[in-house]
Amino acid sequence: MDFEGDAVIKHEASQLQVDDHANITDRAQQYRPSSSIPRVLNKQKEAHDISEDFTRAAEALGTGQLIKDEFFTLFEAVGALEIMDPKMDSGCLAPGEKLEEDYDILQELLPEEVVGIIDQLLCAEVAWYMGHHLSQTLFSSLYIDRLLWPEPKSLDQATFHRNGTAPLDNVMLHVVLRAYCLGLIKTCYFVHKKIVSETYYEEEDFVSNLYNRRLLPDPNIDDIEDLLDQAIWLIESKQDLCSNHIREALTSRFMFRKRFLRAVALDLCGSKEEYAASWRNCSSALPSLLDGSKHSSTVPQSFSAKIQRRFASTVPPRPVMMNDLKDTHDYLQRLFDDAEEAGELVLPADILVDMANYTVEAPQSRKFQIAKRMDVFVGRVGQSYLDTLRAMNMNRSRMRRMLCHTILDWENIQLDAEEIDMSLREYTHEEPIAGQTPEEEDVWSFPLSSWSYYHKLHQMEWVVQLGFELHIYRTDELAGMYWYLQYLANFRLQHLQRIRTFTLRRKDLVERPTPEQTAAFSQSLSFLSFSMLEASATQSFADALSCTSWDQSFHIFEGFADIPLNGKLYISLVHLSLLPASLNFPYSTPAFRYSLRMRPFFPISIPSVPSYEEFSSLVDPLSVYPEDRSALGKSLEAKRLDSLLEAAELATKIARKEWEAVSKSSAETARCQGCEKEWKVKQKDVLRSVIAGGIAIAGVRKWVAGGMKAGKLKVEVDEKGYHDWWVVPKVKAL
């Protein structure tokens, strides 16, 4: 057909006006298509080999020179590169290589080979959890692929043979290995379902692509467990099936798979007690896996990257990823410890965190209303909590900057949580603690707001402590910043005492506590006691290094009564001219530097930041006394300094006892499972810093008692001390 004529007609028609009817017919006839159909002439084509000519022409090109036809697009160029490139073309075969694997999955397996395949499958499963694709891990198994594709319509169809009846004499394959593979696939189904329903950061953490496969979502978990039990019974009852060592290795692996399957299933619908117990059971079954591995024989031919050619995927083929069994064991141990710890709730045996609330669908039920409001709170705090955890994985500079932003968000969360707490009182039937006098207001627990306030205070302390680690503060600012640290720690200590009071009150209200409730209260109270001890230790040592504490006054002699607060080490060194006082700069003042240091905390309403005038008077209690160069004045100054150092020495002794108690706490109490060794090392470093602080204070007191002779004492502030958060001056007698 004359398609060019049609194009011209359309062009001409677009130029016509509405009333130009006369010319339309004439012009259309002028370009009317021919009635004859175009024919393709079949000419004989000859092929010429241009390889040599092409090679000679390519040799004439310089390095980096490219010749490209304007009609040869980038898409076509990349597509051409993929063809016959083993890294990009999944259909590219090496000379003599076949498209499919020669491995016969219906061949009879030795018992030790079954153990080896099971270990390989476990290593591939963990590789998937660690962020690799299913196509590289589990889906590269020929046995898993046969069970999942073509997609089985029922559990009975998920077999290795698919057609016909399984041979009765090959029970190790069709009964034992099949049951384990089905249990593994169902485990992966629950893991995948859990993760895709949550918020995870990037696909580098977990790849959820199933490549158009389904992980047996329809079969019931009880049916899978029945198959596992049948396999265990077969292994234990048939003595001639395998040796005792192989029997123990297989039994331990099936028991582990049952526990793991039950744990991930409970993660979606189980109670708190069942959840924690299930992960403990998984952890206890791990050691036997390594013990039985020495009796296994791996079958690497049962895994192949060629299976990826059948997947619905646009990515190039990837190599098979398989972890070492020891690395797999270590990863699972950390996973189970973290999962057990994640199941621990802040509010023990409290109706707010009762999972039964989510089983009620009647809007008039108080459980439904509680669950509704708790969902609102979780939705409000979830991202902020993840941001805080994400900040812990950054370098120190970014962590501090991130925390400066998150504390502002936690300030708003605390305000929102207060409103939710007040709305929950109608459904929790909480009774307040009545005031001791008619003028005093009733005290409510505010559980969600208290939890938010605790995390906000802790993050504020981290911001200050990271400032010491990053060497942000000048030497003359150390006294003030350690004062502010003890100021925050004091607020956290008081708040923990308040939480503990309401926790004990809730415990007393339970008339007949169940063993689970008793354990939950004991665990919560243990953590509260540890947190109070750690907050008190932080306050004591920061108080010793800074200058003041709020609750003590010394009345040692007339003329020194009612000093507002205890002075400590750094301010004493400044008054003794052993450390420089605040330096003056052309465009800087102490008040301006104070505003810079406190800038992250100014938007915080509780605890409020003191004004600079209040801060100055609290940090330096000796500044209230006028300078007196007379003999009596110097004597009074020496006594004040000695009292200041005596208070610092007392605070250091208290801090040492408290940090010793902190360092002796168990990993469960300190909530540091998985990193207990590193945590113990850090606590010992803090304890060394406290001891060094006591030595420094004793050296200065000795020098003051000896008449403060010039040139007989040297003080150095080394920022690289025992612990990055505690800068302790070094005192040397000359």
Side-chain angles (χ1 to χ4, degrees), residues 94-369:
E97 184 184 6
K98 296 182 179 180
L99 184 64
E100 299 290 342
E101 287 289 347
D102 293 332
Y103 183 78
D104 182 14
I105 67 170
L106 296 180
Q107 66 182 341
E108 191 167 349
L109 296 174
L110 298 174
E112 53 268 25
E113 290 179 329
V114 174
V115 177
I117 293 174
I118 289 176
D119 288 345
Q120 288 176 285
L121 289 172
L122 181 63
C123 294
E125 178 185 8
V126 169
W128 178 49
Y129 297 155
M130 296 175 68
H132 296 290
H133 293 251
L134 275 172
S135 60
Q136 297 177 269
T137 53
L138 282 174
F139 285 2
S140 65
S141 168
L142 297 174
Y143 292 102
I144 298 294
D145 181 68
R146 178 62 65 89
L147 291 176
L148 294 180
W149 192 261
E151 181 182 345
K153 302 301 181 182
S154 64
L155 192 60
D156 294 335
Q157 290 186 8
T159 60
F160 295 131
H161 53 87
R162 284 301 178 101
N163 298 320
T165 306
L168 298 178
D169 57 344
N170 197 358
V171 293
M172 291 301 295
L173 173 66
H174 295 289
V175 178
V176 178
L177 184 58
R178 173 178 176 264
Y180 185 89
C181 290
L182 292 176
L184 183 150
I185 294 171
K186 194 64 177 181
T187 303
C188 294
Y189 162 74
F190 285 117
V191 172
H192 182 270
K193 182 179 179 181
K194 175 67 176 178
I195 293 182
V196 297
S197 64
E198 299 291 339
T199 302
Y200 54 97
Y201 192 47
E202 293 287 350
E203 267 214 350
E204 292 145 8
D205 303 326
F206 182 83
V207 182
S208 58
N209 190 2
L210 297 182
Y211 302 97
N212 202 28
R213 302 290 197 267
R214 302 182 71 204
L215 300 175
L216 301 180
D218 299 327
N220 191 283
I221 184 176
D222 295 331
D223 297 334
I224 302 293
E225 289 185 331
D226 288 342
L227 292 176
L228 294 173
D229 290 333
Q230 292 175 15
I232 294 174
W233 176 85
L234 181 68
I235 294 169
E236 294 179 344
S237 61
K238 286 199 172 186
Q239 299 297 322
D240 59 342
L241 192 64
C242 56
S243 64
N244 291 332
H245 295 300
I246 299 297
R247 183 176 295 105
E248 292 176 1
L250 286 172
T251 303
S252 63
R253 279 152 177 75
F254 273 85
M255 293 303 298
F256 167 78
R257 179 53 57 185
K258 280 189 62 178
R259 295 179 181 182
F260 194 12
L261 175 60
R262 179 57 61 180
V264 294
L266 285 173
D267 189 34
L268 296 175
C269 58
S271 65
K272 179 184 67 174
E273 293 77 12
E274 292 176 321
Y275 179 89
S278 64
W279 291 111
R280 282 195 297 270
N281 292 336
C282 291
S283 182
S284 63
L286 274 178
S288 58
L289 300 184
L290 282 179
D291 296 338
S293 62
K294 56 187 176 183
H295 305 294
S296 66
S297 176
T298 59
V299 185
Q301 304 91 339
S302 63
F303 289 79
S304 174
K306 293 182 179 180
I307 299 178
Q308 299 180 45
R309 295 167 178 164
R310 301 199 299 268
F311 292 156
S313 174
T314 58
V315 298
R318 292 182 170 92
V320 176
M321 298 301 300
M322 193 79 65
N323 291 341
D324 180 76
L325 187 61
K326 179 64 170 60
D327 296 336
T328 298
H329 175 276
D330 295 341
Y331 177 87
L332 289 174
Q333 185 66 64
R334 293 192 301 270
L335 174 67
F336 298 155
D337 291 343
D338 293 343
E340 182 182 351
E341 183 180 357
E344 299 171 353
L345 299 173
V346 176
L347 304 177
D350 196 284
I351 191 174
L352 296 181
V353 291
D354 190 355
M355 295 302 297
N357 296 340
Y358 293 89
T359 63
V360 180
E361 298 181 359
Q364 65 273 17
S365 172
R366 70 169 185 147
K367 290 188 175 182
F368 177 86
Q369 295 297 332

Side-chain angles (χ1 to χ4, degrees), residues 555-566:
H555 309 275
I556 299 178
F557 57 90
E558 185 178 359
F560 190 42
D562 299 325
I563 285 185
L565 309 166
N566 284 344

